[in-house]
Amino acid sequence: MPQLIVDKLAIAYADEGKGPVVLMLHGWGSSVQPFDALARALAGKYRVVRLDLPGFGGSQLPDRVWGIPEYAALITDFCTKLAIRPTTLLGHSMGGQAAIYLVGQGLIRPQRLILIGASGVRDAWTVRQRLTFILAKAGKVVTRPFPAVANRLRTRLYATNGNSEYAAASPALAANYRRVLTEDQRANASRVHIPTLLIWGQQDADAPLRNAHILHRLIAHSRLEVLPGAGHFVFLDKPTETAILVEEFMHEQA
């Protein structure tokens, strides 16, 4: 994949097709690759641009702790560097969280927004999640002389309590993940006033369906589509159904 230097970081990206620009943002621990089939489905009518966010895929690791504002600034500067103005912004998981921030803050002004299993709704923790946090903290103290043991313990604790994305966080990115995990996007979601399609897997454990309903209520011009039998990577579990929903939505709003 080609690379661009954006904000002093080497950013790998994919750019295919011609027409109105669709910008795709992947989730935590992922890359442009899982979007391959969906990108191919759209590239006949659109210019589909995808980037590996810093620290993932072929892109360089940030040199400090980042949260959603920093990722959003990089995405904005990437668009400027590539000289594109996305008409459609599509984000999955943490990429959806960044997309909500970008649109809510007016950093990118697309005509339509597509959120797939988007993160960013941070409700009060359940008792089980609080226990995970306490145990992870305790494990850090107990295993401080043994960093490898501590990392395995935290990974197991988070992965077994519905935070499987933590398992994809390298030690260098773990602090970024903890920051992203605390950032709530409901205020930005309420500022989104463009047609928005929410696609959710009914069995999504990382971004539960209740979060989809919250975003649906907050985003004025939104439509929620739930696909039975699909999980967090709904576009991989149900590729044909997802592509049809995306294409139909984009055609309706063209």
Side-chain angles (χ1 to χ4, degrees):
M1 287 195 303
Q3 287 187 327
L4 276 179
I5 302 300
V6 183
D7 300 341
K8 299 181 180 180
L9 295 175
I11 302 299
Y13 70 100
D15 187 349
E16 53 200 310
K18 294 182 179 180
V21 176
V22 180
L23 179 62
M24 293 183 170
L25 306 176
H26 67 76
W28 189 270
S30 190
S31 68
V32 304
Q33 189 175 7
F35 280 137
D36 282 352
L38 185 56
R40 284 195 299 269
L42 299 176
K45 297 179 181 178
Y46 302 94
R47 180 182 175 185
V48 182
V49 178
R50 300 171 279 161
L51 72 153
D52 284 338
L53 295 173
F56 305 107
S59 291
Q60 193 174 350
L61 192 73
D63 61 358
R64 55 192 172 87
V65 177
W66 276 25
I68 291 299
E70 289 77 16
Y71 282 105
L74 183 285
I75 294 164
T76 303
D77 292 343
F78 170 83
C79 291
T80 300
K81 195 75 175 281
L82 202 59
I84 59 172
R85 298 183 65 181
T87 58
T88 300
L89 183 58
L90 183 153
H92 169 245
S93 194
M94 192 264 281
Q97 184 177 354
I100 294 169
Y101 182 92
L102 286 160
V103 176
Q105 293 291 314
L107 299 176
I108 292 182
R109 300 180 183 275
Q111 296 175 8
R112 52 193 167 258
L113 175 64
I114 301 172
L115 302 173
I116 303 177
S119 301
V121 175
R122 308 304 182 193
D123 288 327
W125 286 357
T126 65
V127 172
R128 190 177 185 189
Q129 287 172 319
R130 286 183 184 277
L131 180 60
T132 296
F133 179 79
I134 293 168
L135 288 173
K137 284 291 187 181
K140 182 177 181 180
V141 173
V142 171
T143 61
R144 186 170 290 160
F146 312 101
V149 175
N151 187 60
R152 287 198 298 271
L153 174 62
R154 285 194 298 272
T155 298
R156 180 174 295 180
L157 284 168
Y158 281 86
T160 57
N161 285 277
N163 291 307
S164 62
E165 289 177 334
Y166 188 89
S170 68
L173 280 171
N176 291 25
Y177 182 73
R178 289 193 294 270
R179 181 175 164 189
V180 168
L181 194 64
T182 65
E183 293 175 328
D184 190 279
Q185 301 302 325
R186 280 177 285 192
N188 283 312
S190 68
R191 299 185 188 105
V192 175
H193 299 291
I194 58 174
T196 300
L197 173 64
L198 297 98
I199 303 176
W200 237 263
Q202 190 176 41
Q203 298 174 359
D204 192 331
D206 290 298
L209 188 55
R210 63 177 178 273
N211 293 359
H213 290 290
I214 291 171
L215 291 174
H216 184 33
R217 289 195 298 269
L218 288 171
I219 300 174
H221 305 286
S222 64
R223 186 174 94 226
L224 173 60
E225 297 286 350
V226 179
L227 296 183
H232 190 50
F233 282 81
V234 58
F235 57 95
L236 297 181
D237 294 338
K238 301 282 185 177
T240 301
E241 295 88 335
T242 301
I244 290 172
L245 287 172
V246 169
E247 291 183 85
E248 287 180 347
F249 174 72
M250 293 173 65
H251 179 72
E252 290 168 4
Q253 304 300 325

